[in-house]
Amino acid sequence: MPRRGFTVKKAWDNPREHTMPAVVRVPAEVRLGPVAVQPATVLAPMAGVTDTVFRRFIRHASLFTRDQESGIRDQDSAMTAVEKTVTNQQSGCGLLMTEFTSADGLSRMRESKRRRYLTFYDDEHPIAAQLFGSNPETLAEAARIVEDTGFDTVDLNLGCPAKRVVGCNGGSGLLRDLPRIGEIFRAVRKAVTIPFTVKFRLGWNDAQIVCVELAKIAEAEGLNAVALHARTREQAYTGQARWEWIAAVKQAVTIPVIGNGDIRTPEDAAAMVAQTGCDAVMIGRAAPANPWIFRQIAQYTATGAYEQPTVQDRYAMIRAYFQMLLDEQEACKDLPRDARIGETAGKMKQFASWFTHGVPGGAKLRASIYHAKTGAGVLEQVDAFFAVQLAGGAETADAETVEPLDFSNAAMACD
């Protein structure tokens, strides 16, 4: 049974280790109607995480310092093949998704406030907006807003297990009402011309597994793809994701199937494709801890090998993301109050516990960040810490013994 309050735990339970399949790779492309996703990897929507800054960071900042500092090292370099093979030359993330947004709220809120939820930049294409709700007409109206705003695709969330979402019959709460889901599919499909996709779970619990039937309904109603997080609502984020159900959905429909659940490494991503035949992989809670995962998947797909980040890489990554937060705060300071982002120190502290995982002496850095009062103060602590680290010649990222990541403060994730 779920725990009281249904707290969302993001740590993995006894994660399975996968070896890289001998032949199978993550596909180079999947098409959602006219939208090409290259490579076939998707950043999952995560409330409290995948805001504008984090999405841009994943798309543009998750580089290796060796490439930045010395360029292509030789003709046999893994980077050479990656740059020639994948379309997204930087992160390897083929499709970004927004944090999921309430259709009810979106239809009621002022235009200025919508900017906080539906803002994106030209360099984020292709990008999808994810909605949740239970009223077909309201979801159709919200989908029209998404299309008019310029998003490439719209996605319906039928996966969130959080009590406050399920209590409004949103997210995975709708898995108990397939006829209503069919009504929503028809209303949204009629309302928009852009690709329409859905993300869902196996079912409410083990006694109510509906994923195959739901996927067939989606295909019949004209959706362009389905994404399956291979756990039930009752499981939340515990136990193992049951990839065999992704395979069952893939066998049941002809539209693209995106697999989600327990992808922590490039090996996991390729193993999911090998075991299920899915057309693309979606990565959620692994991305904040290892923002290079998309790049690593692209490297392996192109070359059969991938690189691990050094301490210098981690410093460049942390500093780049924190600076982007500060720049975004400065850029929106003259906007209406409900369209601004607040002081960034809190978000920096949230991400610091993930970004510094594996950094030698990372516990000391996390403590100093926690005591900083402002975003600029956090950045000063990061610079001071890594100045000492790099002066001491720290080159490996495994010198600190760390506990498994727990994302319980990250609201609701979708992986």
Side-chain angles (χ1 to χ4, degrees), residues 48 51 53 288 317-330 341-356 365-383:
D51 62 5
V53 182
M317 178 265 291
I318 294 169
R319 200 185 198 293
Y321 177 69
F322 285 1
Q323 187 61 57
M324 287 172 74
L325 281 174
L326 293 174
D327 292 346
E328 185 86 346
Q329 181 186 27
E330 177 67 20
I341 64 172
E343 166 59 43
T344 58
K347 190 142 197 177
M348 287 177 167
K349 292 174 183 179
Q350 171 191 353
F351 274 78
S353 64
W354 307 336
F355 282 179
T356 60
L365 174 58
R366 290 189 288 274
S368 64
I369 287 175
Y370 177 79
H371 291 292
K373 302 298 184 183
T374 65
V378 170
L379 200 56
E380 289 175 4
Q381 294 297 326
V382 169
D383 288 338

Side-chain angles (χ1 to χ4, degrees), residues 149-165:
T149 304
F151 283 88
D152 298 289
T153 75
V154 61
D155 186 73
L156 174 65
N157 180 298
L158 298 180
C160 179
K163 188 174 182 179
R164 64 179 180 178
V165 174

